[in-house]
Amino acid sequence: FILVTDNLERILPTIRSRCLPVPLGPPDPSTLAKQIREELKVTEEEARQGALWAIQEGMTPEEALSNPVRELRDESLELLDLAVRAGEHAFLPVLKSKKYSRETDLIMIRYFRDLLSEAFLIGEGRAEPLVYLSHRKTFKKWSESVGPDRIPDLIDLTFEFEEGIAGYANPTHSLATFLGQVSQAAGR
């Protein structure tokens, strides 16, 4: 009998005490990329990117490469880029034109955290992004605009805003407020 979970704490102690835990890490990205390329018939670059997204986001490769997920990821990148480069006057109209659900806003704030983490690593001298492979130049610009000393504070803020969105805060206002903080940090 095999019991699989990603939340060991939710298993009753009486059951857990009779089990042998075998922790499994994420698959190797290159192995997963090879499988994606063969099964989904995509380019090598798409397969590599899909593998990294799937591992990062805890999705199947099909989900990670699906159009709705790609669009949301791209919209998150666009909003954060507008906040860094142009300020509130640029991202507010775009944000107001979208009607996201609370769940979508939660996903977006997590994407913001991932994107800012990539920008921080690039600013610290990492050769290429860990997950968002085609956005190295964007991350470099963000790191220069915001400053590597401010990015960790923005990453910490994403956790606070995530809690607010998951709770009772207005999700759209929370995203706008967070992006305003990003613009402020970038001097916009």
Side-chain angles (χ1 to χ4, degrees):
F1 179 63
I2 296 176
L3 174 66
V4 179
T5 183
D6 62 352
N7 193 347
L8 191 60
E9 294 77 33
R10 296 202 61 199
I11 305 296
L12 294 172
T14 54
I15 294 173
R16 228 181 18 231
S17 68
R18 291 166 176 82
C19 295
L20 173 66
V22 180
L24 302 173
D28 176 54
S30 61
T31 304
L32 185 57
K34 182 180 177 187
Q35 180 182 354
I36 291 170
R37 186 166 185 213
E38 292 170 3
E39 289 181 14
L40 300 180
K41 307 294 186 228
V42 296
T43 67
E44 189 172 328
E45 185 177 318
E46 285 178 311
R48 184 171 173 227
Q49 184 64 79
L52 293 171
W53 281 336
I55 292 167
Q56 173 82 13
E57 298 167 16
M59 299 178 169
T60 65
E62 292 84 2
E63 290 172 324
L65 289 170
S66 70
N67 281 339
V69 173
R70 281 183 188 223
E71 288 170 8
L72 187 58
R73 206 178 286 117
D74 290 344
E75 287 173 18
S76 301
L77 182 78
E78 176 192 3
L79 284 168
L80 198 55
D81 191 46
L82 287 171
V84 171
R85 288 185 308 103
E88 289 183 22
H89 70 280
F91 74 77
L92 278 176
V94 175
L95 188 58
K96 286 181 181 179
S97 71
K98 306 290 183 182
K99 301 293 182 212
Y100 298 122
S101 67
R102 184 174 298 274
E103 183 61 34
T104 300
D105 287 343
L106 280 168
I107 293 168
M108 287 187 82
I109 201 79
R110 292 175 192 140
Y111 283 153
F112 292 160
R113 180 169 45 245
D114 294 343
L115 294 165
L116 288 167
S117 297
E118 295 274 37
F120 177 74
L121 292 172
I122 293 295
E124 291 289 303
R126 183 170 175 81
E128 75 172 39
L130 293 173
V131 178
Y132 296 85
L133 300 176
S134 62
H135 301 294
R136 185 184 191 296
K137 290 179 183 174
T138 303
F139 296 144
K140 185 75 171 158
K141 288 178 188 173
W142 290 359
S143 180
E144 292 166 356
S145 295
V146 176
D149 55 321
R150 292 184 182 161
I151 292 178
D153 294 334
L154 293 172
I155 293 169
D156 288 345
L157 268 179
T158 63
F159 290 102
E160 293 176 31
F161 280 92
E162 183 178 358
E163 285 179 18
I165 293 169
Y168 297 104
N170 180 307
T172 304
H173 290 156
S174 295
L175 284 182
T177 304
F178 174 75
L179 291 169
Q181 293 286 327
V182 172
S183 291
Q184 207 171 36
R188 305 285 178 234

